[in-house]
Amino acid sequence: MDNILSFLGDISWWMWIIIFLAFVIIYDVFINKKHTILHNFPLVGHFRYMLESIGPELRQYIVAGNREEKPFNRIERGWVYASSKNENNYEGFGTDQDIYEVNYVFINNAVIPYRMPTDHINRKDPYFLACAKVMGEYHKRRRPYRPASVINVSAMSFGSLSARAIESLNKGCKKAYAFHNTGEGGLSPYHKKGADVIFQIGTGYFGIRNPDGTFSMDKLVKLVEDNPQIRAIEVKLSQGAKPGKGGVLPASKITKEISEIRHVPMGKDVLSPPSHSTFSNMQEMVDFIEDIAESTGLPVGVKAAIGKLDEWEELATIMAETDRGPDFLAIDGGEGGTGAAPPSFADHVALPWTYGFTDVYKIFQARDLTNRIVFIGSAKLGFPAKAAMAFAMGADCISVAREAMLSIGCIQAKSCHTNTCPTGVATQNRWLQAGINVKDKSERVNYYFTNFRKELLEITHACGYEHPCQFTMDDVEINLGDRFIAKTLAKTFMYNKTKVPFDSVATLAGCPNLGGSYRKGEETDVKEVETEDTSVSEQ
């Protein structure tokens, strides 16, 4: 034994490297039966796979230009990062966008901008911007709801996002007077940190299901009674990431906490089917919505990505003839979202938001229904200029998911579906989650939302309006790439949005149904940014 140890001790470090590489070559050439590249090129093949594994990071930080990355480029991410840290989010020396590219958006400013009176509420609180419509007002729900913020957090479930991420978003929403959509995973303790909540009902009825997986009205009613922060109910028909596709929650991912929140058994895979078991057509869906509204007293809406339009025509007809139906419509874009999906779904199923929203809006407008519905847009609209376009098309407020994730530290690593998210946002790994400082990240959510609203208001005032609901389809032009160069949204999509009843921002602030615990006259906790400093870090 001593001779063997002495012999091994005499081997130099570089010989150990040669021995290791020799073993790798022998294994790949004579034992490996799966990888052709490793068999034919044992050492170079490993180097190739290593480069492939870090390819996204190399492109993101070294190769790709500022405007080249998808789904959010470096400039967009930088703006969210800077806004969420309340740093300078300006850029200098003019735009580097190709302003002649197809679908480029132009906002038509007024010759004389809107001038706020000296006693205007936005002079004291430049971040207040509530929704111009009230959810449930037309149908006389017992607890109507006016969102206190036009930008809110879209549906992202606990389980998909980590506990610390959900808690950061909820506390940030409380500070920014925004609502927080639970996603279909049920109401977790991390959704109960003070913000208004929209409770989403998915096809799995998580949190409000019977032992056999069917919907339980009794459990929903009790949930609403026990949690007054729930201000509305959203029935999810589909989502942009994978419309019309269900999912499976593997038994290995079901912790005791998730089991209790979702009301699902441990040790068994749980199916989230593609469609609802409670209804199978539009009339039954309307009955379901009205039953929920009557039982809970809350506004009830639906969320969907848009494809075929015949069922939307049917829904609009039912609503026009019966005065029954959803109080709000959350229109999701086929651009995808936080949910993992097969590329065939993420890339090709459902229309992009711009096309889907205009199709649906026109259907309800034709039946004079638009002013009884609050329209929520959701699909990469978390930037002031894009939001202005959405308001011009008929949206009343917007919900953001991935942009909200960016505000709490997401770096677009695209590993949401692997449970290895390096920032701890989209993972259940406790070690990775530990890096999230909830107090700091909740402040960043607050800053992102309030700076967003301030900049959207500045665009609104530049166009001569007091509130974004006053935007018209003629206020925004889109580059079509043909010889006409650009046309207004009205000429492009062949409609003009219905005028939204609006008196003043002061009226919105004094509304008894205003959510978010907004206290009139109290300024949102945001310090004005010094714009002279042009340095902006991106994380």
Side-chain angles (χ1 to χ4, degrees), residues 305-320:
I306 308 302
K308 295 181 178 180
L309 299 176
D310 51 344
E311 290 168 310
W312 293 102
E313 296 271 6
E314 182 183 355
L315 174 60
T317 300
I318 292 171
M319 292 179 65

Side-chain angles (χ1 to χ4, degrees), residues 124-196:
K124 176 153 182 73
D125 184 357
Y127 312 98
F128 176 73
L129 189 56
C131 181
K133 292 181 184 175
V134 179
M135 294 180 180
E137 184 176 52
Y138 178 85
H139 291 121
K140 296 180 172 60
R141 309 302 188 197
R142 295 195 299 276
R143 288 184 63 199
Y145 175 54
R146 185 194 298 274
S149 171
V150 295
I151 177 173
N152 305 278
V153 171
S154 189
M156 294 182 285
S157 303
F158 168 59
S160 173
L161 265 58
S162 69
R164 285 175 177 261
I166 293 290
E167 184 175 352
S168 299
L169 291 172
N170 194 265
K171 288 185 173 180
C173 285
K174 177 186 178 182
K175 295 175 182 178
Y177 310 116
F179 68 68
H180 186 184
N181 192 308
T182 63
E184 65 177 319
L187 183 71
S188 74
Y190 313 105
H191 290 104
K192 302 179 183 180
K193 302 300 179 180
D196 286 347

Side-chain angles (χ1 to χ4, degrees), residues 158-159 184-186 203-214 219 247-273:
F158 168 59
E184 65 177 319
T203 56
Y205 305 117
F206 297 125
I208 49 170
R209 55 191 266 150
N210 295 310
D212 62 354
T214 56
K219 287 185 177 180
V248 176
L249 183 64
S252 60
K253 288 190 174 183
I254 303 177
T255 63
K256 186 175 185 298
E257 185 178 37
I258 291 176
S259 172
E260 292 173 351
I261 292 169
R262 297 199 178 199
H263 297 177
V264 297
M266 294 192 61
K268 291 176 59 178
D269 292 346
V270 178
L271 174 67
S272 180

